[in-house]
Amino acid sequence: ETGKTVRLGQYFDGKHPVLLTLVYYKCPILCSEELKGLTGALEMVNYQPGKDFQIVAISIDPTETPAVAASKKREYVTYYGHPESASGWHFLTGQKPAIQSIAKTAGFGYVPMAGPDGKMNQFAHASSIEIVTPEGKIAQYYLGVEYSPQDLRLGLIEASNHKIGRAS
């Protein structure tokens, strides 16, 4: 969101987990609902972005700009209601090869599709967030657009302890 080049690894400090989400900021419906669901759940979790964990949202649309990402960051930090947590929210953009590499590593599939205007400016994709350990290993996947605050809290605790979730 700053226009500066960053390495994804800089958000992994070896001590705190990361909430990762792959979205696109100009998404007409799903991605906004996902980010609202995440933010709403975080309001009921007694951990704070920037202090206890990081939030990293990565746009899957290589045409989106840092200005668009900065606008989305302001929107969700405001929605969250804790401006002091802004240092823990990161809305990233990138070039297509980097986006594809991250998506593949995270097991996140998406395909470009035509919008109502006939232009290939939308994406078909699942809605999910991932909780990632402080070293960068995916510990938990949460699907959908609403997330249980208790599940998020427990997922953050387990990831903080370097535990990987398992299917039940």
Side-chain angles (χ1 to χ4, degrees), residues 58 67 102 118:
I58 300 173
I102 292 166

Side-chain angles (χ1 to χ4, degrees), residues 147-158:
Y147 309 102
S148 159
Q150 181 178 348
D151 288 348
L152 281 181
R153 185 178 72 75
L154 293 174
L156 288 167
I157 290 169
E158 287 182 354

